[in-house]
C-alpha cells in the first residue's frame, strides 16, 4: 500500500463571514509553510470563495467548494455550476456530504451526475460516503458503502477516477464528538479500497486517496492517520479554528513519517 502525504481538507460548512473566512485562511496559509508534507484544502461557503482564493494565491493551500449543481448554466435559481466553481478558483468540490443527502435529499444518482459535471470542468470531486447509526447497528455498513460507491462512480472511467478523492464519513460520527476508532475506520477504508480495486484495478485503487471524516481532532488524528488505508481527513468542526486544524495536520504528518 502506497503511504501518501496526508490530504487534509477543512469543511467550513455554513460558517464564516467573508472577513472571518479571510482571517482563518490567512492564519492557515501562514502556518502551512511548515506543513509542506501535507496537501491542505479549504472549503469555505460560496460567498467567501473568491476572497479566500486571493489569500491562497501564492501558497500551496488549495480551494474547494462544498457543493455544485450538475448543469453548466440555466434557469436553476440558487444553484452554482462546475464551470462557475472553476472560474472562482476551486480545485476541488465536496460532493454527496451526508448533510446534503440527509437534509436536501441527494441520491446516489444525483451525486453521480455531480461527480461527472465536476470532472468535465476540471474540478476534482471529494466524494463523501458513509452509513448511518441505524445502518451500522443492522450490520449493513459494507453494503451501504458498496452501493454508494457503485452509484456515485457509475460510468466514471479509470482515467477520471484518478482525479477523485473518496471521503468515508460515518454519519453517526459527524459533528457528534463520536469518532470511529482507528480499527473501525481502517476496516471500512480497506473495504472501500477493495471495492475500488474491483472496478478500477489494484494499482489505481492503491493510489486512490481515501479520507476519514467524523469528529477528527488533534487528539485522535495521529492514531487514525497511522492506519494503513487512511490517507488524510475531511474535518468539520475542528477546521473552524486555525490552531486545531493545524495541529491535526501536524499530527497527520507525524503519523505519515512514522508509517514510512
Ligand atoms: C464533516 O462535516 O465533513 C465533518 C467530518 O464534520 P465534523 O469533523 O465536525 O464531525
Amino acid at each position: 500500500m502506497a503511504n501518501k502525504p496526508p490530504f487534509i481538507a477543512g469543511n467550513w460548512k455554513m460558517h464564516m463571514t467573508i472577513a472571518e473566512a479571510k482571517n482563518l485562511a490567512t492564519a492557515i496559509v501562514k502556518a502551512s509553510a511548515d506543513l509542506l508534507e501535507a496537501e491542505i484544502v479549504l472549503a469555505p461557503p460560496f460567498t467567501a470563495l473568491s476572497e479566500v482564493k486571493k489569500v491562497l494565491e501564492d501558497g500551496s493551500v488549495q480551494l474547494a467548494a462544498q457543493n455544485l449543481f450538475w448543469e453548466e448554466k440555466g434557469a436553476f435559481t440558487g444553484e452554482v455550476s462546475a464551470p462557475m466553481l472553476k472560474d472562482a478558483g476551486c480545485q476541488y468540490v465536496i460532493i454527496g456530504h451526508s448533510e446534503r443527502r440527509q437534509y436536501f435529499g441527494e441520491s446516489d444518482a444525483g451525486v453521480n451526475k455531480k461527480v461527472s459535471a465536476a470532472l468535465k470542468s476540471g474540478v476534482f470531486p471529494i466524494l463523501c460516503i458513509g452509513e448511518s447509526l441505524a445502518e451500522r447497528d443492522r450490520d449493513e455498513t459494507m453494503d451501504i458503502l458498496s452501493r454508494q460507491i457503485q452509484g456515485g462512480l457509475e460510468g466514471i472511467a479509470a482515467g477520471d477516477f484518478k482525479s477523485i478523492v473518496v471521503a468515508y464519513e460515518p454519519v453517526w460520527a459527524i459533528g457528534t464528538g463520536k469518532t470511529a476508532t482507528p480499527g473501525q475506520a481502517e476496516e471500512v477504508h480497506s473495504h472501500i479500497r477493495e471495492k475500488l480495486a474491483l472496478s478500477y484495478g489494484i494499482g489505481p485503487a492503491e493510489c486512490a486517496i481515501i479520507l476519514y471524516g467524523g469528529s477528527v481532532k488533534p487528539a485522535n488524528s495521529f492514531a487514525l492517520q497511522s492506519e494503513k488505508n487512511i490517507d488524510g481527513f475531511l474535518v468539520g468542526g475542528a477546521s473552524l479554528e486555525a490552531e486545531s486544524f493545524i495541529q491535526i495536520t501536524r499530527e497527520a504528518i507525524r503519523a505519515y513519517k512514522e508509517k514510512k
Side-chain angles (χ1 to χ4, degrees), residues 10 12-13 15-30 40-66 87-91 239 245:
W12 296 355
K13 309 193 186 188
H15 294 286
M16 304 279 160
T17 61
I18 294 172
E20 288 165 346
K22 283 167 70 178
N23 283 342
L24 180 54
T26 304
I28 290 169
V29 166
K30 211 164 149 204
I40 300 176
V41 176
L42 303 180
F46 287 133
T47 46
L49 284 175
S50 297
E51 288 297 318
V52 169
K53 179 68 187 173
K54 289 181 200 158
V55 176
L56 306 186
E57 211 63 75
D58 299 324
S60 59
V61 176
Q62 313 235 62
L63 187 67
Q66 298 175 18
D87 184 46
C90 294
Q91 285 92 3
S239 73
F245 186 68

mmCIF file of all heavy atoms in Angstrom, residues 10 12-13 15-30 40-66 87-91 239 245:
data_model
loop_
_atom_site.group_PDB
_atom_site.id
_atom_site.type_symbol
_atom_site.label_atom_id
_atom_site.label_comp_id
_atom_site.label_asym_id
_atom_site.label_seq_id
_atom_site.Cartn_x
_atom_site.Cartn_y
_atom_site.Cartn_z
ATOM 1 N N GLY A 10 -10.552 21.032 5.092
ATOM 2 C CA GLY A 10 -11.411 21.662 6.101
ATOM 3 C C GLY A 10 -12.738 22.059 5.472
ATOM 4 O O GLY A 10 -12.763 22.807 4.490
ATOM 5 N N TRP A 12 -15.860 24.088 6.043
ATOM 6 C CA TRP A 12 -16.337 25.160 6.934
ATOM 7 C C TRP A 12 -17.868 25.222 6.986
ATOM 8 O O TRP A 12 -18.425 26.042 7.709
ATOM 9 C CB TRP A 12 -15.759 26.506 6.504
ATOM 10 C CG TRP A 12 -14.256 26.578 6.626
ATOM 11 C CD1 TRP A 12 -13.423 25.611 7.155
ATOM 12 C CD2 TRP A 12 -13.400 27.651 6.210
ATOM 13 N NE1 TRP A 12 -12.121 26.029 7.097
ATOM 14 C CE2 TRP A 12 -12.069 27.277 6.523
ATOM 15 C CE3 TRP A 12 -13.617 28.897 5.604
ATOM 16 C CZ2 TRP A 12 -10.975 28.110 6.249
ATOM 17 C CZ3 TRP A 12 -12.531 29.723 5.334
ATOM 18 C CH2 TRP A 12 -11.232 29.333 5.654
ATOM 19 N N LYS A 13 -18.526 24.418 6.201
ATOM 20 C CA LYS A 13 -19.998 24.351 6.200
ATOM 21 C C LYS A 13 -20.607 25.759 6.119
ATOM 22 O O LYS A 13 -20.068 26.621 5.461
ATOM 23 C CB LYS A 13 -20.482 23.577 7.429
ATOM 24 C CG LYS A 13 -19.805 22.234 7.592
ATOM 25 C CD LYS A 13 -20.486 21.358 8.598
ATOM 26 C CE LYS A 13 -19.668 20.099 8.797
ATOM 27 N NZ LYS A 13 -20.328 19.104 9.596
ATOM 28 N N HIS A 15 -20.579 28.397 7.883
ATOM 29 C CA HIS A 15 -19.949 29.257 8.884
ATOM 30 C C HIS A 15 -19.071 30.260 8.160
ATOM 31 O O HIS A 15 -18.618 29.996 7.061
ATOM 32 C CB HIS A 15 -19.045 28.435 9.816
ATOM 33 C CG HIS A 15 -19.792 27.465 10.678
ATOM 34 N ND1 HIS A 15 -20.538 27.830 11.765
ATOM 35 C CD2 HIS A 15 -19.902 26.120 10.586
ATOM 36 C CE1 HIS A 15 -21.067 26.756 12.326
ATOM 37 N NE2 HIS A 15 -20.713 25.696 11.625
ATOM 38 N N MET A 16 -18.821 31.383 8.804
ATOM 39 C CA MET A 16 -17.840 32.384 8.372
ATOM 40 C C MET A 16 -18.425 33.473 7.464
ATOM 41 O O MET A 16 -18.931 33.200 6.377
ATOM 42 C CB MET A 16 -16.653 31.765 7.589
ATOM 43 C CG MET A 16 -15.911 30.689 8.301
ATOM 44 S SD MET A 16 -14.749 31.393 9.458
ATOM 45 C CE MET A 16 -14.526 29.953 10.491
ATOM 46 N N THR A 17 -18.281 34.698 7.955
ATOM 47 C CA THR A 17 -18.475 35.841 7.076
ATOM 48 C C THR A 17 -17.239 35.899 6.166
ATOM 49 O O THR A 17 -16.255 35.170 6.402
ATOM 50 C CB THR A 17 -18.529 37.147 7.896
ATOM 51 O OG1 THR A 17 -17.264 37.283 8.577
ATOM 52 C CG2 THR A 17 -19.658 37.129 8.913
ATOM 53 N N ILE A 18 -17.279 36.787 5.190
ATOM 54 C CA ILE A 18 -16.106 36.888 4.301
ATOM 55 C C ILE A 18 -14.866 37.298 5.104
ATOM 56 O O ILE A 18 -13.783 36.727 4.938
ATOM 57 C CB ILE A 18 -16.396 37.880 3.154
ATOM 58 C CG1 ILE A 18 -17.498 37.298 2.256
ATOM 59 C CG2 ILE A 18 -15.141 38.161 2.342
ATOM 60 C CD1 ILE A 18 -18.026 38.241 1.193
ATOM 61 N N ALA A 19 -15.041 38.271 6.002
ATOM 62 C CA ALA A 19 -13.888 38.732 6.792
ATOM 63 C C ALA A 19 -13.344 37.601 7.669
ATOM 64 O O ALA A 19 -12.125 37.399 7.765
ATOM 65 C CB ALA A 19 -14.297 39.930 7.654
ATOM 66 N N GLU A 20 -14.234 36.843 8.293
ATOM 67 C CA GLU A 20 -13.777 35.732 9.146
ATOM 68 C C GLU A 20 -13.057 34.670 8.314
ATOM 69 O O GLU A 20 -12.036 34.114 8.731
ATOM 70 C CB GLU A 20 -14.977 35.097 9.863
ATOM 71 C CG GLU A 20 -15.559 35.959 10.969
ATOM 72 C CD GLU A 20 -16.955 35.483 11.427
ATOM 73 O OE1 GLU A 20 -17.589 34.662 10.737
ATOM 74 O OE2 GLU A 20 -17.399 35.978 12.468
ATOM 75 N N ALA A 21 -13.614 34.404 7.138
ATOM 76 C CA ALA A 21 -13.010 33.387 6.265
ATOM 77 C C ALA A 21 -11.601 33.812 5.838
ATOM 78 O O ALA A 21 -10.671 32.995 5.821
ATOM 79 C CB ALA A 21 -13.901 33.163 5.039
ATOM 80 N N LYS A 22 -11.447 35.088 5.525
ATOM 81 C CA LYS A 22 -10.129 35.578 5.113
ATOM 82 C C LYS A 22 -9.123 35.453 6.262
ATOM 83 O O LYS A 22 -7.981 35.056 6.067
ATOM 84 C CB LYS A 22 -10.220 37.039 4.654
ATOM 85 C CG LYS A 22 -10.807 37.162 3.255
ATOM 86 C CD LYS A 22 -11.185 38.566 2.903
ATOM 87 C CE LYS A 22 -10.013 39.485 2.708
ATOM 88 N NZ LYS A 22 -10.452 40.844 2.324
ATOM 89 N N ASN A 23 -9.571 35.775 7.465
ATOM 90 C CA ASN A 23 -8.678 35.678 8.629
ATOM 91 C C ASN A 23 -8.232 34.240 8.866
ATOM 92 O O ASN A 23 -7.056 33.972 9.102
ATOM 93 C CB ASN A 23 -9.379 36.170 9.907
ATOM 94 C CG ASN A 23 -9.431 37.682 9.944
ATOM 95 O OD1 ASN A 23 -8.691 38.347 9.221
ATOM 96 N ND2 ASN A 23 -10.306 38.218 10.776
ATOM 97 N N LEU A 24 -9.193 33.324 8.805
ATOM 98 C CA LEU A 24 -8.861 31.919 9.051
ATOM 99 C C LEU A 24 -7.919 31.398 7.964
ATOM 100 O O LEU A 24 -6.915 30.734 8.248
ATOM 101 C CB LEU A 24 -10.153 31.086 9.106
ATOM 102 C CG LEU A 24 -10.011 29.592 9.354
ATOM 103 C CD1 LEU A 24 -9.198 29.297 10.612
ATOM 104 C CD2 LEU A 24 -11.385 28.927 9.464
ATOM 105 N N ALA A 25 -8.244 31.731 6.718
ATOM 106 C CA ALA A 25 -7.388 31.270 5.607
ATOM 107 C C ALA A 25 -5.981 31.860 5.745
ATOM 108 O O ALA A 25 -4.982 31.162 5.515
ATOM 109 C CB ALA A 25 -8.007 31.670 4.268
ATOM 110 N N THR A 26 -5.890 33.110 6.154
ATOM 111 C CA THR A 26 -4.583 33.755 6.306
ATOM 112 C C THR A 26 -3.756 33.030 7.363
ATOM 113 O O THR A 26 -2.563 32.746 7.166
ATOM 114 C CB THR A 26 -4.767 35.247 6.697
ATOM 115 O OG1 THR A 26 -5.583 35.865 5.698
ATOM 116 C CG2 THR A 26 -3.441 35.972 6.803
ATOM 117 N N ALA A 27 -4.390 32.703 8.476
ATOM 118 C CA ALA A 27 -3.668 32.002 9.555
ATOM 119 C C ALA A 27 -3.203 30.625 9.078
ATOM 120 O O ALA A 27 -2.087 30.187 9.387
ATOM 121 C CB ALA A 27 -4.568 31.872 10.780
ATOM 122 N N ILE A 28 -4.028 29.944 8.314
ATOM 123 C CA ILE A 28 -3.662 28.594 7.859
ATOM 124 C C ILE A 28 -2.541 28.669 6.817
ATOM 125 O O ILE A 28 -1.593 27.889 6.845
ATOM 126 C CB ILE A 28 -4.916 27.848 7.336
ATOM 127 C CG1 ILE A 28 -5.832 27.525 8.527
ATOM 128 C CG2 ILE A 28 -4.533 26.565 6.595
ATOM 129 C CD1 ILE A 28 -7.213 27.043 8.167
ATOM 130 N N VAL A 29 -2.633 29.642 5.931
ATOM 131 C CA VAL A 29 -1.576 29.802 4.916
ATOM 132 C C VAL A 29 -0.242 30.083 5.600
ATOM 133 O O VAL A 29 0.794 29.508 5.238
ATOM 134 C CB VAL A 29 -1.943 30.934 3.928
ATOM 135 C CG1 VAL A 29 -0.745 31.344 3.090
ATOM 136 C CG2 VAL A 29 -3.090 30.492 3.025
ATOM 137 N N LYS A 30 -0.277 30.932 6.615
ATOM 138 C CA LYS A 30 0.948 31.283 7.331
ATOM 139 C C LYS A 30 1.580 30.015 7.948
ATOM 140 O O LYS A 30 2.767 29.766 7.805
ATOM 141 C CB LYS A 30 0.599 32.282 8.436
ATOM 142 C CG LYS A 30 1.688 33.241 8.741
ATOM 143 C CD LYS A 30 1.144 34.413 9.527
ATOM 144 C CE LYS A 30 2.243 34.932 10.451
ATOM 145 N NZ LYS A 30 1.701 35.633 11.589
ATOM 146 N N ILE A 40 -3.165 20.562 1.749
ATOM 147 C CA ILE A 40 -4.214 21.196 2.554
ATOM 148 C C ILE A 40 -5.247 21.834 1.626
ATOM 149 O O ILE A 40 -4.896 22.534 0.673
ATOM 150 C CB ILE A 40 -3.613 22.273 3.489
ATOM 151 C CG1 ILE A 40 -2.592 21.616 4.433
ATOM 152 C CG2 ILE A 40 -4.697 22.993 4.283
ATOM 153 C CD1 ILE A 40 -1.860 22.586 5.328
ATOM 154 N N VAL A 41 -6.503 21.581 1.921
ATOM 155 C CA VAL A 41 -7.602 22.101 1.103
ATOM 156 C C VAL A 41 -8.622 22.759 2.027
ATOM 157 O O VAL A 41 -8.976 22.193 3.058
ATOM 158 C CB VAL A 41 -8.280 20.945 0.313
ATOM 159 C CG1 VAL A 41 -9.473 21.442 -0.473
ATOM 160 C CG2 VAL A 41 -7.282 20.265 -0.622
ATOM 161 N N LEU A 42 -9.092 23.942 1.654
ATOM 162 C CA LEU A 42 -10.091 24.651 2.465
ATOM 163 C C LEU A 42 -11.385 24.797 1.666
ATOM 164 O O LEU A 42 -11.354 25.190 0.500
ATOM 165 C CB LEU A 42 -9.572 26.047 2.852
ATOM 166 C CG LEU A 42 -8.239 26.078 3.611
ATOM 167 C CD1 LEU A 42 -7.840 27.516 3.926
ATOM 168 C CD2 LEU A 42 -8.303 25.241 4.881
ATOM 169 N N ALA A 43 -12.504 24.502 2.329
ATOM 170 C CA ALA A 43 -13.812 24.609 1.667
ATOM 171 C C ALA A 43 -14.693 25.634 2.395
ATOM 172 O O ALA A 43 -15.483 25.288 3.272
ATOM 173 C CB ALA A 43 -14.493 23.245 1.641
ATOM 174 N N PRO A 44 -14.536 26.903 2.037
ATOM 175 C CA PRO A 44 -15.390 27.945 2.624
ATOM 176 C C PRO A 44 -16.778 27.920 1.985
ATOM 177 O O PRO A 44 -16.985 27.231 0.983
ATOM 178 C CB PRO A 44 -14.684 29.256 2.228
ATOM 179 C CG PRO A 44 -13.499 28.880 1.400
ATOM 180 C CD PRO A 44 -13.593 27.426 1.052
ATOM 181 N N PRO A 45 -17.728 28.673 2.542
ATOM 182 C CA PRO A 45 -19.023 28.791 1.856
ATOM 183 C C PRO A 45 -18.844 29.531 0.520
ATOM 184 O O PRO A 45 -17.853 30.241 0.328
ATOM 185 C CB PRO A 45 -19.859 29.614 2.841
ATOM 186 C CG PRO A 45 -18.887 30.293 3.735
ATOM 187 C CD PRO A 45 -17.657 29.443 3.784
ATOM 188 N N PHE A 46 -19.821 29.381 -0.381
ATOM 189 C CA PHE A 46 -19.726 30.009 -1.716
ATOM 190 C C PHE A 46 -19.380 31.498 -1.632
ATOM 191 O O PHE A 46 -18.602 32.010 -2.421
ATOM 192 C CB PHE A 46 -21.065 29.893 -2.457
ATOM 193 C CG PHE A 46 -21.371 28.504 -2.954
ATOM 194 C CD1 PHE A 46 -22.630 27.944 -2.748
ATOM 195 C CD2 PHE A 46 -20.439 27.752 -3.639
ATOM 196 C CE1 PHE A 46 -22.944 26.673 -3.216
ATOM 197 C CE2 PHE A 46 -20.731 26.470 -4.119
ATOM 198 C CZ PHE A 46 -21.987 25.928 -3.901
ATOM 199 N N THR A 47 -20.009 32.192 -0.671
ATOM 200 C CA THR A 47 -19.857 33.650 -0.590
ATOM 201 C C THR A 47 -18.413 34.087 -0.361
ATOM 202 O O THR A 47 -18.053 35.215 -0.693
ATOM 203 C CB THR A 47 -20.721 34.201 0.558
ATOM 204 O OG1 THR A 47 -20.501 33.361 1.705
ATOM 205 C CG2 THR A 47 -22.192 34.211 0.204
ATOM 206 N N ALA A 48 -17.610 33.206 0.215
ATOM 207 C CA ALA A 48 -16.231 33.596 0.551
ATOM 208 C C ALA A 48 -15.196 33.015 -0.412
ATOM 209 O O ALA A 48 -13.998 33.270 -0.256
ATOM 210 C CB ALA A 48 -15.921 33.165 1.988
ATOM 211 N N LEU A 49 -15.638 32.246 -1.406
ATOM 212 C CA LEU A 49 -14.660 31.554 -2.267
ATOM 213 C C LEU A 49 -13.666 32.521 -2.919
ATOM 214 O O LEU A 49 -12.453 32.311 -2.851
ATOM 215 C CB LEU A 49 -15.379 30.751 -3.367
ATOM 216 C CG LEU A 49 -16.040 29.432 -2.943
ATOM 217 C CD1 LEU A 49 -16.804 28.816 -4.108
ATOM 218 C CD2 LEU A 49 -15.000 28.444 -2.420
ATOM 219 N N SER A 50 -14.191 33.568 -3.547
ATOM 220 C CA SER A 50 -13.297 34.457 -4.307
ATOM 221 C C SER A 50 -12.294 35.156 -3.406
ATOM 222 O O SER A 50 -11.118 35.281 -3.757
ATOM 223 C CB SER A 50 -14.096 35.522 -5.057
ATOM 224 O OG SER A 50 -14.908 34.891 -5.988
ATOM 225 N N GLU A 51 -12.749 35.596 -2.253
ATOM 226 C CA GLU A 51 -11.836 36.315 -1.361
ATOM 227 C C GLU A 51 -10.811 35.368 -0.739
ATOM 228 O O GLU A 51 -9.649 35.719 -0.587
ATOM 229 C CB GLU A 51 -12.636 37.052 -0.268
ATOM 230 C CG GLU A 51 -13.405 38.260 -0.793
ATOM 231 C CD GLU A 51 -12.480 39.343 -1.363
ATOM 232 O OE1 GLU A 51 -11.434 39.622 -0.764
ATOM 233 O OE2 GLU A 51 -12.812 39.913 -2.426
ATOM 234 N N VAL A 52 -11.250 34.167 -0.398
ATOM 235 C CA VAL A 52 -10.289 33.197 0.152
ATOM 236 C C VAL A 52 -9.280 32.817 -0.935
ATOM 237 O O VAL A 52 -8.096 32.664 -0.675
ATOM 238 C CB VAL A 52 -11.023 31.959 0.730
ATOM 239 C CG1 VAL A 52 -10.032 30.844 1.046
ATOM 240 C CG2 VAL A 52 -11.794 32.334 1.985
ATOM 241 N N LYS A 53 -9.749 32.717 -2.157
ATOM 242 C CA LYS A 53 -8.837 32.409 -3.275
ATOM 243 C C LYS A 53 -7.680 33.413 -3.317
ATOM 244 O O LYS A 53 -6.527 33.043 -3.525
ATOM 245 C CB LYS A 53 -9.619 32.426 -4.590
ATOM 246 C CG LYS A 53 -8.780 32.143 -5.815
ATOM 247 C CD LYS A 53 -8.286 30.717 -5.818
ATOM 248 C CE LYS A 53 -7.313 30.469 -6.938
ATOM 249 N NZ LYS A 53 -6.704 29.131 -6.826
ATOM 250 N N LYS A 54 -8.005 34.676 -3.106
ATOM 251 C CA LYS A 54 -6.941 35.701 -3.144
ATOM 252 C C LYS A 54 -5.919 35.443 -2.038
ATOM 253 O O LYS A 54 -4.721 35.618 -2.231
ATOM 254 C CB LYS A 54 -7.555 37.097 -2.958
ATOM 255 C CG LYS A 54 -8.357 37.560 -4.154
ATOM 256 C CD LYS A 54 -8.909 38.963 -3.911
ATOM 257 C CE LYS A 54 -10.071 39.237 -4.845
ATOM 258 N NZ LYS A 54 -10.972 40.303 -4.356
ATOM 259 N N VAL A 55 -6.401 35.023 -0.878
ATOM 260 C CA VAL A 55 -5.481 34.739 0.238
ATOM 261 C C VAL A 55 -4.578 33.546 -0.105
ATOM 262 O O VAL A 55 -3.411 33.504 0.264
ATOM 263 C CB VAL A 55 -6.284 34.435 1.536
ATOM 264 C CG1 VAL A 55 -5.360 34.038 2.670
ATOM 265 C CG2 VAL A 55 -7.148 35.621 1.927
ATOM 266 N N LEU A 56 -5.127 32.583 -0.855
ATOM 267 C CA LEU A 56 -4.373 31.354 -1.145
ATOM 268 C C LEU A 56 -3.429 31.510 -2.340
ATOM 269 O O LEU A 56 -2.606 30.621 -2.598
ATOM 270 C CB LEU A 56 -5.337 30.184 -1.443
ATOM 271 C CG LEU A 56 -6.415 29.870 -0.395
ATOM 272 C CD1 LEU A 56 -7.170 28.602 -0.779
ATOM 273 C CD2 LEU A 56 -5.815 29.711 0.994
ATOM 274 N N GLU A 57 -3.582 32.611 -3.054
ATOM 275 C CA GLU A 57 -2.944 32.803 -4.356
ATOM 276 C C GLU A 57 -1.492 32.338 -4.435
ATOM 277 O O GLU A 57 -1.128 31.601 -5.340
ATOM 278 C CB GLU A 57 -3.040 34.288 -4.729
ATOM 279 C CG GLU A 57 -3.135 34.563 -6.218
ATOM 280 C CD GLU A 57 -4.410 33.973 -6.857
ATOM 281 O OE1 GLU A 57 -5.517 34.540 -6.663
ATOM 282 O OE2 GLU A 57 -4.275 32.935 -7.526
ATOM 283 N N ASP A 58 -0.671 32.746 -3.472
ATOM 284 C CA ASP A 58 0.761 32.470 -3.615
ATOM 285 C C ASP A 58 1.236 31.205 -2.892
ATOM 286 O O ASP A 58 2.414 30.880 -2.935
ATOM 287 C CB ASP A 58 1.579 33.671 -3.092
ATOM 288 C CG ASP A 58 1.254 34.911 -3.897
ATOM 289 O OD1 ASP A 58 1.034 34.778 -5.114
ATOM 290 O OD2 ASP A 58 1.196 36.005 -3.296
ATOM 291 N N GLY A 59 0.336 30.509 -2.253
ATOM 292 C CA GLY A 59 0.791 29.354 -1.463
ATOM 293 C C GLY A 59 0.357 28.038 -2.077
ATOM 294 O O GLY A 59 -0.102 27.976 -3.213
ATOM 295 N N SER A 60 0.487 26.978 -1.284
ATOM 296 C CA SER A 60 0.146 25.646 -1.805
ATOM 297 C C SER A 60 -1.212 25.165 -1.294
ATOM 298 O O SER A 60 -1.665 24.082 -1.659
ATOM 299 C CB SER A 60 1.224 24.652 -1.388
ATOM 300 O OG SER A 60 1.305 24.642 0.022
ATOM 301 N N VAL A 61 -1.854 25.946 -0.436
ATOM 302 C CA VAL A 61 -3.172 25.534 0.073
ATOM 303 C C VAL A 61 -4.190 25.677 -1.064
ATOM 304 O O VAL A 61 -4.185 26.670 -1.794
ATOM 305 C CB VAL A 61 -3.583 26.403 1.288
ATOM 306 C CG1 VAL A 61 -4.986 26.054 1.758
ATOM 307 C CG2 VAL A 61 -2.576 26.232 2.427
ATOM 308 N N GLN A 62 -5.042 24.675 -1.201
ATOM 309 C CA GLN A 62 -5.983 24.659 -2.331
ATOM 310 C C GLN A 62 -7.410 24.975 -1.884
ATOM 311 O O GLN A 62 -7.752 24.845 -0.700
ATOM 312 C CB GLN A 62 -5.970 23.288 -2.980
ATOM 313 C CG GLN A 62 -4.565 22.802 -3.220
ATOM 314 C CD GLN A 62 -4.327 22.436 -4.655
ATOM 315 O OE1 GLN A 62 -4.418 23.267 -5.549
ATOM 316 N NE2 GLN A 62 -4.045 21.176 -4.882
ATOM 317 N N LEU A 63 -8.226 25.325 -2.864
ATOM 318 C CA LEU A 63 -9.587 25.775 -2.572
ATOM 319 C C LEU A 63 -10.620 24.738 -3.026
ATOM 320 O O LEU A 63 -10.509 24.161 -4.114
ATOM 321 C CB LEU A 63 -9.838 27.089 -3.327
ATOM 322 C CG LEU A 63 -11.133 27.828 -3.030
ATOM 323 C CD1 LEU A 63 -11.137 28.371 -1.584
ATOM 324 C CD2 LEU A 63 -11.333 28.995 -4.003
ATOM 325 N N ALA A 64 -11.636 24.538 -2.185
ATOM 326 C CA ALA A 64 -12.735 23.631 -2.548
ATOM 327 C C ALA A 64 -14.071 24.328 -2.312
ATOM 328 O O ALA A 64 -14.188 25.177 -1.419
ATOM 329 C CB ALA A 64 -12.686 22.354 -1.709
ATOM 330 N N ALA A 65 -15.073 23.936 -3.087
ATOM 331 C CA ALA A 65 -16.447 24.339 -2.804
ATOM 332 C C ALA A 65 -17.125 23.189 -2.065
ATOM 333 O O ALA A 65 -16.602 22.072 -2.030
ATOM 334 C CB ALA A 65 -17.177 24.654 -4.103
ATOM 335 N N GLN A 66 -18.271 23.468 -1.491
ATOM 336 C CA GLN A 66 -18.952 22.443 -0.680
ATOM 337 C C GLN A 66 -20.051 21.705 -1.441
ATOM 338 O O GLN A 66 -20.645 20.763 -0.922
ATOM 339 C CB GLN A 66 -19.566 23.095 0.558
ATOM 340 C CG GLN A 66 -18.560 23.736 1.477
ATOM 341 C CD GLN A 66 -19.221 24.477 2.616
ATOM 342 O OE1 GLN A 66 -20.386 24.254 2.931
ATOM 343 N NE2 GLN A 66 -18.493 25.387 3.234
ATOM 344 N N ASP A 87 -14.160 28.873 -12.366
ATOM 345 C CA ASP A 87 -13.922 30.305 -12.554
ATOM 346 C C ASP A 87 -13.573 30.998 -11.232
ATOM 347 O O ASP A 87 -12.776 31.934 -11.194
ATOM 348 C CB ASP A 87 -15.203 30.905 -13.158
ATOM 349 C CG ASP A 87 -15.054 32.372 -13.494
ATOM 350 O OD1 ASP A 87 -14.027 32.738 -14.102
ATOM 351 O OD2 ASP A 87 -15.961 33.156 -13.143
ATOM 352 N N ALA A 88 -14.163 30.516 -10.142
ATOM 353 C CA ALA A 88 -13.895 31.115 -8.821
ATOM 354 C C ALA A 88 -12.578 30.617 -8.236
ATOM 355 O O ALA A 88 -12.176 31.047 -7.159
ATOM 356 C CB ALA A 88 -15.045 30.803 -7.864
ATOM 357 N N GLY A 89 -11.917 29.680 -8.937
ATOM 358 C CA GLY A 89 -10.591 29.241 -8.493
ATOM 359 C C GLY A 89 -10.591 27.959 -7.688
ATOM 360 O O GLY A 89 -9.600 27.646 -7.027
ATOM 361 N N CYS A 90 -11.676 27.196 -7.738
ATOM 362 C CA CYS A 90 -11.726 25.943 -6.969
ATOM 363 C C CYS A 90 -10.975 24.825 -7.684
ATOM 364 O O CYS A 90 -11.227 24.567 -8.860
ATOM 365 C CB CYS A 90 -13.168 25.470 -6.782
ATOM 366 S SG CYS A 90 -14.129 26.580 -5.763
ATOM 367 N N GLN A 91 -10.139 24.136 -6.939
ATOM 368 C CA GLN A 91 -9.512 22.920 -7.478
ATOM 369 C C GLN A 91 -10.361 21.693 -7.149
ATOM 370 O O GLN A 91 -10.292 20.682 -7.826
ATOM 371 C CB GLN A 91 -8.117 22.706 -6.872
ATOM 372 C CG GLN A 91 -7.040 23.627 -7.401
ATOM 373 C CD GLN A 91 -6.898 24.887 -6.561
ATOM 374 O OE1 GLN A 91 -7.569 25.050 -5.549
ATOM 375 N NE2 GLN A 91 -6.025 25.769 -7.001
ATOM 376 N N SER A 239 -12.013 22.362 11.963
ATOM 377 C CA SER A 239 -11.344 23.161 10.920
ATOM 378 C C SER A 239 -11.719 24.640 11.034
ATOM 379 O O SER A 239 -11.225 25.470 10.283
ATOM 380 C CB SER A 239 -11.715 22.645 9.522
ATOM 381 O OG SER A 239 -13.049 22.993 9.179
ATOM 382 N N PHE A 245 -6.976 22.963 13.454
ATOM 383 C CA PHE A 245 -6.790 22.428 12.097
ATOM 384 C C PHE A 245 -5.299 22.178 11.827
ATOM 385 O O PHE A 245 -4.916 21.141 11.282
ATOM 386 C CB PHE A 245 -7.386 23.405 11.081
ATOM 387 C CG PHE A 245 -7.375 22.894 9.669
ATOM 388 C CD1 PHE A 245 -8.172 21.825 9.290
ATOM 389 C CD2 PHE A 245 -6.561 23.479 8.707
ATOM 390 C CE1 PHE A 245 -8.166 21.346 7.981
ATOM 391 C CE2 PHE A 245 -6.550 23.012 7.394
ATOM 392 C CZ PHE A 245 -7.353 21.943 7.036
#
